[in-house]
Amino acid sequence: MRQNIAAGNWKMNLDLDEAQQLARDISNHLGMDSESTVILGVPYPFLKSISDLTYPITNLHIAAQNCHYEAGGAFTGEVSIPMLKSINIEHVIIGHSERREIFMEDNAVIRKKVTALINSSSNVIFCCGEPISVRLEEKQNEYVEKQLNESLFHLTSEDMKRVIIAYEPIWAIGTGHTASAEQAQQMHAYIRKLISDKYGSETAENTSILYGGSVKPSNAKELFANPDVDGGLVGGASLKADSFKDIIDSF
């Protein structure tokens, strides 16, 4: 059965002391027996420190926010999957809208990263979602389907066990706008249908699909109550312990 997941994407925020304190607060909230699954997307310089700090909490996982698809070489400023695995980082966020929009990562590049991660037995948090121009034309389904077909659906059903999907409507990230619970459910149900059509109902029912558009304590319960919304990929609200703890408790 698929997991309910609260994932925090810290992006390029916090210094080391702030990151460690936030991780401690979240770890203490979860405790050793919590049934909630939490993933923290941590900036590269802090990955090992935060991973070591949270290691005893078995349902709290640390994710890198990106990686390169090559195992090594002359790629100044990049981080490889073997580097991440050497410090016990097993989750990586791939295809976030900011990587697509700002750093111009296209579906072909994202496919290479997904393939490299799966081949290294790592876990993929695969982001997809449409900009406002596509939403206004009501072509969001076709847009997201293309992202999935070109970057994810080359995997096998066995590979898909290592994939979490995060639907992030780009127009609802950092803008203060949020897709309605109904809009989120409609897209999540559509994504699950695409998975079912490609891999069968069992794979579809076991794939967690997170909502990634301005999740806050005030809307988390309503969003997570939808049958196909399995949690959230949280940005700004994950940088404050109290707000993120409220989101964790919203299932």
Side-chain angles (χ1 to χ4, degrees):
M1 193 64 183
R2 61 187 187 261
Q3 294 177 305
N4 289 326
I5 300 169
N9 181 12
W10 292 358
K11 305 188 181 183
M12 195 175 72
N13 294 292
L14 308 175
D15 62 23
L16 179 57
D17 289 343
E18 292 168 336
Q20 289 177 330
Q21 186 58 56
L22 179 55
R24 287 190 196 97
D25 289 342
I26 294 167
S27 296
N28 291 337
H29 182 68
L30 286 174
M32 300 299 290
D33 301 318
S34 174
E35 295 181 359
S36 301
T37 298
V38 173
I39 301 172
L40 302 178
V42 174
Y44 285 138
F46 310 150
L47 280 169
K48 187 173 191 313
S49 172
I50 301 303
S51 179
D52 290 347
L53 188 154
T54 60
Y55 179 76
I57 310 300
T58 57
N59 56 330
L60 198 164
H61 307 285
I62 305 304
Q65 297 174 15
N66 190 36
C67 69
H68 200 279
Y69 51 80
E70 293 289 353
F75 301 100
T76 301
E78 292 291 336
V79 173
S80 73
I81 299 166
M83 291 176 182
L84 296 174
K85 290 187 75 70
S86 74
I87 57 170
N88 299 315
I89 301 302
E90 303 287 348
H91 291 72
V92 183
I93 301 170
I94 292 297
H96 190 279
S97 62
E98 290 157 5
R99 299 300 312 179
R100 296 175 186 266
E101 299 279 296
I102 299 172
F103 299 98
M104 308 304 293
E105 293 186 2
D106 61 17
N107 289 342
V109 168
I110 293 165
R111 179 189 178 108
K112 289 181 180 180
K113 294 184 178 187
V114 168
T115 301
L117 284 163
I118 292 299
N119 287 344
S120 70
S121 299
S122 297
N123 301 301
V124 178
I125 303 171
F126 179 87
C127 300
C128 57
E130 79 283 357
I132 187 62
S133 58
V134 172
R135 171 65 67 161
L136 290 175
E137 293 179 0
E138 298 185 351
K139 294 181 178 179
Q140 62 272 11
N141 286 5
E142 296 93 327
Y143 190 91
V144 169
E145 183 173 1
K146 180 179 173 67
Q147 291 177 319
L148 295 170
N149 281 332
E150 294 186 359
S151 300
L152 189 68
F153 279 179
H154 62 291
L155 300 180
T156 67
S157 56
E158 186 66 22
D159 294 337
M160 286 293 290
K161 294 178 181 179
R162 290 188 169 275
V163 175
I164 298 164
I165 294 175
Y167 166 62
E168 43 169 16
I170 297 171
W171 47 273
I173 299 174
T175 63
H177 299 290
T178 308
S180 68
E182 181 180 6
Q183 287 173 316
Q185 167 58 23
Q186 287 172 347
M187 180 56 79
H188 282 231
Y190 182 69
I191 292 171
R192 203 174 303 283
K193 179 181 183 301
L194 292 174
I195 298 170
S196 181
D197 291 345
K198 174 70 175 179
Y199 297 105
S201 59
E202 182 178 355
T203 297
E205 286 303 312
N206 283 286
T207 300
S208 293
I209 306 175
L210 314 183
Y211 174 73
S214 295
V215 178
K216 302 179 289 290
S218 60
N219 62 23
K221 283 185 181 295
E222 182 182 13
L223 287 165
F224 297 171
N226 285 287
D228 289 295
V229 179
D230 304 311
L233 178 60
V234 185
S238 72
L239 297 173
K240 300 291 185 182
D242 287 345
S243 60
F244 193 56
K245 287 188 287 188
D246 286 344
I247 291 169
I248 292 169
D249 294 340
S250 294
F251 293 106

